Amino acid sequence: MLQQNRATTAAPLLKNAPLVIAILLLLDSFHFVFARLLRTYLPPVPAALFVLGLATLETAVFLTWKRQIQFSILRQHLPFFAAVGLLVAGATSLSFASVRYVDAGTASMLAQTTTLFVLAFGIFWLRERLHRNELLGAGVALIGIFAISFQPGAVLRLGSLLVLASSFLYALHAAVVKRFGQEMDFANFFLFRVGSTAFFLLLFVLIQGTENWQWPSGTAWLILPLMATVDVIFSRVLYYLALRRLQISHHAILLTLSPVIAVLWSLLLFGEAPTWQGFWGGTAVLLGVAIVTWQQRQQATA
């Protein structure tokens, strides 16, 4: 009965994919902005640990109150959560480190190379198929990503390489979740996903040693709970709901809109504007996404 009630509660949101994607795009655009805000107060790995630790605590308290925690799911799928936790912990640490070398807008745009990796995993591992118009849209969006990502000298910088490595790890995690976590109870999946990520981040901190440890300052404590709630809980819940609803290829292509919003945040908060090459690349991303979404509507009404 509890499983049925949870499924009934989630069903309306799952069916409203456009709403899920719209809110997700807004929240997803905050990731590198938050990471940039934290870089003044904490080293990358401890910052990521505190964010994921708080997110785990918030999720556990809520699910304990709802009496929904099932530790049997963790025991049955321990290798899955270990793999996902390690991949996300690595991706998060690298993304937090990258904003020490590149601005938030550029990092967000570079991160959309995730689309390249996800499309490859979706086609060659998950055996997904794309309509020719969707392939056209994906191609246009990817041209935009290349235009943004590979501006002269950008890819040679350490920050760019960190973002590219983070993108690969996160794309691999998305493919693993799509392949093995699709039917898992969502609430417990999310709890053990953020918990396993926090666990591996703690291991990273211990491996690095005390010289890289720093306790948050008063200002950092204002940012950490906000980032844990918005960038992890709200954003990732919608991310996985959309991943369950959409093909992983469609999911990745639609998320290429996120850096366009991130650039606006970067401009408003930090006064960082994209180059003309970045502007035209963003326009290509928008056009490619429009083609994909148009084709999906055609298929839905056919």
Side-chain angles (χ1 to χ4, degrees):
M1 180 63 71
L2 187 59
Q3 294 277 4
Q4 184 178 359
N5 290 339
R6 284 198 294 269
T8 302
T9 302
L13 187 57
L14 280 170
K15 290 179 180 179
N16 197 345
L19 177 61
V20 170
I21 288 293
I23 300 175
L24 171 59
L25 287 172
L26 177 61
L27 298 181
D28 189 64
S29 67
F30 281 116
H31 176 71
F32 286 101
V33 174
F34 277 127
R36 190 182 187 281
L37 288 172
L38 277 176
R39 76 179 185 183
T40 307
Y41 306 103
L42 287 169
V45 179
L49 172 60
F50 278 109
V51 170
L52 268 297
L54 286 171
T56 302
L57 179 62
E58 290 179 26
T59 306
V61 169
F62 176 76
L63 293 183
T64 300
W65 174 61
K66 301 288 288 186
R67 297 183 180 179
Q68 292 186 4
I69 297 180
Q70 301 176 45
F71 287 103
S72 59
I73 293 178
L74 176 62
R75 291 193 297 269
Q76 293 168 7
H77 303 280
L78 191 58
F80 167 81
F81 286 113
V84 169
L86 180 60
L87 290 171
V88 178
T92 305
S93 299
L94 291 171
S95 67
F96 273 57
S98 69
V99 293
R100 293 176 174 264
Y101 307 98
V102 294
D103 63 88
T106 300
S108 183
M109 290 187 287
L110 279 169
Q112 297 315 300
T113 50
T114 299
T115 306
L116 294 171
F117 302 126
V118 167
L119 286 175
F121 289 136
I123 294 171
F124 296 108
W125 182 23
L126 303 180
R127 304 299 181 185
E128 295 181 348
R129 293 185 178 183
L130 296 179
H131 188 275
R132 62 177 179 274
N133 287 339
E134 293 172 321
L135 289 172
L136 173 63
V140 173
L142 292 177
I143 289 172
I145 292 172
F146 277 119
I148 295 169
S149 302
F150 302 109
Q151 299 182 48
V155 77
L156 300 178
R157 293 199 299 267
L158 176 59
S160 299
L161 296 176
L162 291 174
V163 176
L164 292 174
S166 173
S167 299
F168 174 80
L169 294 177
Y170 209 82
L172 180 56
H173 128 270
V176 170
V177 170
K178 186 68 175 177
R179 177 66 178 83
F180 300 106
Q182 188 77 352
E183 303 301 325
M184 201 176 299
D185 173 72
F186 184 80
N188 283 275
F189 156 76
F190 187 76
L191 171 62
F192 299 132
R193 182 282 206 196
V194 294
S196 62
T197 303
F199 171 77
F200 280 104
L201 286 169
L202 177 60
L203 289 184
F204 293 171
V205 168
L206 295 175
I207 291 171
Q208 286 185 341
T210 56
E211 63 273 11
N212 290 310
W213 172 257
Q214 183 177 332
W215 192 257
S217 66
T219 305
W221 279 117
L222 298 177
I223 303 172
L224 288 169
L226 181 62
M227 188 172 184
T229 303
V230 174
D231 188 51
V232 178
I233 296 178
F234 290 164
S235 175
R236 294 306 89 182
V237 163
L238 292 176
Y239 176 93
Y240 290 116
L241 285 175
L243 187 61
R244 290 191 174 198
R245 178 67 176 172
L246 304 172
Q247 282 192 173
I248 190 173
S249 306
H250 296 164
H251 185 263
I253 295 168
L254 289 170
L255 282 177
T256 55
L257 280 170
S258 179
V260 178
I261 305 174
V263 167
L264 296 177
W265 288 123
S266 186
L267 179 62
L268 290 172
L269 296 175
F270 310 118
E272 300 164 345
T275 64
W276 277 106
Q277 185 174 338
F279 172 79
W280 290 115
T283 302
V285 168
L286 288 169
L287 178 60
V289 171
I291 294 172
V292 172
T293 53
W294 176 82
Q295 178 60 40
Q296 288 183 316
R297 292 194 190 98
Q298 294 295 108
Q299 291 175 337
T301 57

